[in-house]
Amino acid sequence: MSSQNCDVVIVGAGFAGLYLLHRLRGLGYSTRVFEAGGDVGGTWYWNRYPGARCDVESMQYSYSFSEELQQEWNWGERFSAQPEILEYAGHVADRFDLRRSIEFETAVTAAHFLEATNRWQVTTNKGETVSAQFCVMATGCISAAQTPEFDGLSDFKGATYHTGNWPHEGVDFTGKRIGVIGTGSSGIQAIPVLAEEAAHVTVFQRTPNYSLPARNGPMTEEYARSWKDNYAALREQQRQTPKGAIGEFNDISGLETSAEERDTAYESGWVKGGATLLGSYKDMLLDNAVNETAAEFVRDKIRTIVHDADVAEMLAAKGYPIGTKRICIDSGYFETFNRDNVDLVDINQTPIERITATGLATSETTFDFDAIVFATGFDAMTGTLFKIDIQGRNGAALRDKWRDGPRTYLGLMTESFPNLFMITGPGSPSVLTNMMVSIEQHVDWITECLLHMRDNQLEIMEPVLQAQDDWVEHVNVVAHGTLFPQAASWYMGANIPGKPRIFMPYVGGAGAYRNICDDVVADGYRGFDFQPNPSQVAAAE
Ligand code: NAP
């Protein structure tokens, strides 16, 4: 067992925790890494539902920090499925010998800042307490799976599953009747695969989602080469894009084009697959009129794909702009509703009244199921942090400080919680970007900051309240300059009853945000307050 005191506690061994551990170890920091799961991989460790797949291309959804790593690893598909991404995380852990420093199946339950010592006291579910100068939350943005409190849930005699916490041994649905609740990215990926296997699938939809075809396929040698031969330049380019991913992006306004030109552009994006269509015009997420042309294009596609006109209309998203809820990327989702063994229930028309012993009752019908799959999402961005009893100065709890919504400076730190960092925290671009790019940027920024403190004998740092207030205001203003707040999305906290409706991620773009963070450093860590290490100050006097 390693010592109870260390320089840095890292909470989580997903892609953020793994890279941070690698960097800090190389610089001689002592660390303790706690991971609730039984292995590395974070979100890809838990989300093992059938059909789980990344919606960022594999050549881009990967680490850039090691040239050897990015050259030696070979992806099998254009968009990787969960098992391959988990294998990649495992490969990284082995290649850089990281596992020996990670304590698995160990959840952090509390982290308290002790003002007497200026150190974090971190407690685990194994009853251990560790003292650290720094605590870094590498806990992920969508990690707290959310099962709604349906009446009668405990009465159900069949099996229940949540996509975000799927059994590791897999589930055999052969011959089973399944109810699936939720049609976000997870439901939209799982439903086509479940329908292939199960006897019958009934999908309960609250809000129809816009979904675009992935056009996934095997990775070609030629495509992989085109990236590997140019990785240095392409990674640099990636970092400066708004989404942290290189894709087609037309720098023209949709208002300047004719209806025919728009349809041609949308058709091209639809055929190329992934989120390409959303990059058709620069004002896609700024102008309702432009957005509506794309939304209607997608609705028309659904009307063409789905044979039953009533079902097609139920599936066609309306009432919010396309792209303002996280766009879904699917493989045969709408086609699935042409199968004889799949039914769709609009729970706005016929609400779910209760779960019963044998299934589920809506206001109109009772359904018998062998299993219910909850694809009902997550308490995003703040849920995982609030599961931990985090206390800063004066014993103030983070949950209380953020009661009206998260408040951070740059999404990296929050005032009154010295030396506590968040990787891809609320107020940073995080979930609006390729997470790998945003994770690497935050890990690099935090690492450089720790080095700055070590080199300058600084003991603690925290954001100045005014700088934090200004950042929160900026995040809000930028969000409200877009169409994003028009949707009741998890970005807004709208999927959790009682959660404050605040647009949580920073919509200003990964590249612009990176430049702001770099500028803050160049300006002497503008907006952060540092305090020296008293013993070193005394020694110098
Ligand atoms: P989600 O997008 O939040 O979708 C949850 C679904 O459950 C929604 O359809 C929601 O309806 C429904 N729901 C929630 N509470 C309900 C209730 N009480 N009654 C009925 N329906 C309810 O969650 P997710 O699909 O797990 O995806 C979350 C995020 O994870 C994604 O947006 C994405 O960022 C990430 N993700 C990525 C991938 C990928 O890379 N391809 C795959 C999966 C997930 P409403 O819309 O009405 O709230």
Side-chain angles (χ1 to χ4, degrees), residues 39 99 106 141 171 175 191 214 251 255 264 269 285 324 332 334 393 396 417 423 425 463 465 490 509 532-533 536 539:
D39 202 350
R99 277 201 175 87
T106 309
C141 296
V171 185
I191 287 161
D251 201 19
L255 296 170
T264 306
L285 289 166
T324 55
F334 295 114
R393 289 193 186 283
F417 294 77
I423 298 181
L465 183 57
W490 60 258
N533 184 321
Q536 275 156 338

Side-chain angles (χ1 to χ4, degrees), residues 44 49 53-56 142 148 150 163 181-187 189 204 206-207 209 325-326 329 347 352 375-378 431 488 490 495:
W44 301 104
Y49 60 86
R53 186 177 292 287
C54 189
D55 54 12
V56 177
I142 27 187
F150 290 111
T163 48
I181 304 176
T183 54
S185 296
S186 304
Q189 289 186 338
F204 294 89
R206 187 164 71 179
T207 310
N209 241 309
K325 273 178 176 252
R326 161 83 174 213
I329 306 294
I347 60 171
I352 296 173
T376 43
F378 300 85
V431 291
W490 60 258
N495 63 324

Side-chain angles (χ1 to χ4, degrees), residues 47-268:
N47 285 265
R48 297 171 187 240
Y49 60 86
R53 186 177 292 287
C54 189
D55 54 12
V56 177
E57 283 193 21
S58 320
M59 297 311 294
Q60 305 204 49
Y61 190 84
S62 46
Y63 285 124
S64 71
F65 71 82
S66 160
E67 176 62 7
E68 294 77 19
L69 171 66
Q70 64 184 3
Q71 290 299 334
E72 77 197 7
W73 182 263
N74 295 314
W75 293 104
E77 293 179 278
R78 178 179 174 198
F79 294 99
S80 301
Q82 174 270 335
E84 193 178 11
I85 303 174
L86 191 59
E87 196 185 327
Y88 172 73
H91 169 75
V92 171
D94 290 338
R95 194 189 190 290
F96 297 100
D97 190 23
L98 301 175
R99 277 201 175 87
R100 69 178 160 84
S101 300
I102 304 169
E103 288 156 71
F104 294 107
E105 291 177 351
T106 309
V108 168
T109 52
H112 295 171
F113 181 71
L114 304 184
E115 291 185 80
T117 55
N118 278 343
R119 290 179 72 85
W120 282 91
Q121 180 180 278
V122 177
T123 308
T124 73
N125 63 349
K126 298 208 167 141
E128 194 188 356
T129 297
V130 178
S131 167
Q133 186 182 357
F134 300 97
C135 181
V136 184
M137 295 295 169
T139 37
C141 296
I142 27 187
S143 314
Q146 182 72 11
T147 302
E149 290 174 7
F150 290 111
D151 281 347
L153 187 54
S154 57
D155 299 343
F156 186 56
K157 298 276 186 281
T160 57
Y161 305 97
H162 192 290
T163 48
N165 196 358
W166 201 260
H168 288 196
E169 61 282 11
V171 185
D172 183 2
F173 287 112
T174 312
K176 302 273 197 274
R177 299 155 304 164
I178 321 175
V180 181
I181 304 176
T183 54
S185 296
S186 304
I188 279 177
Q189 289 186 338
I191 287 161
V193 185
L194 294 172
E196 294 273 341
E197 190 177 315
H200 195 276
V201 176
T202 308
V203 177
F204 294 89
Q205 171 188 276
R206 187 164 71 179
T207 310
N209 241 309
Y210 297 98
S211 186
L212 303 172
R215 311 269 178 228
N216 185 35
M219 179 68 68
T220 64
E221 175 62 25
E222 191 191 1
Y223 189 65
R225 263 290 121 239
S226 73
W227 276 89
K228 289 190 177 183
D229 287 351
N230 299 291
Y231 249 143
L234 291 171
R235 294 294 200 188
E236 201 42 51
Q237 197 183 326
Q238 225 185 358
R239 292 182 192 116
Q240 285 303 326
T241 60
K243 297 204 154 300
I246 299 169
E248 289 183 32
F249 179 75
N250 269 334
D251 201 19
I252 55 169
S253 163
L255 296 170
E256 292 161 6
T257 56
S258 67
E260 291 72 31
E261 285 169 324
R262 283 195 296 271
D263 275 352
T264 306
Y266 297 150
E267 184 63 33
S268 161

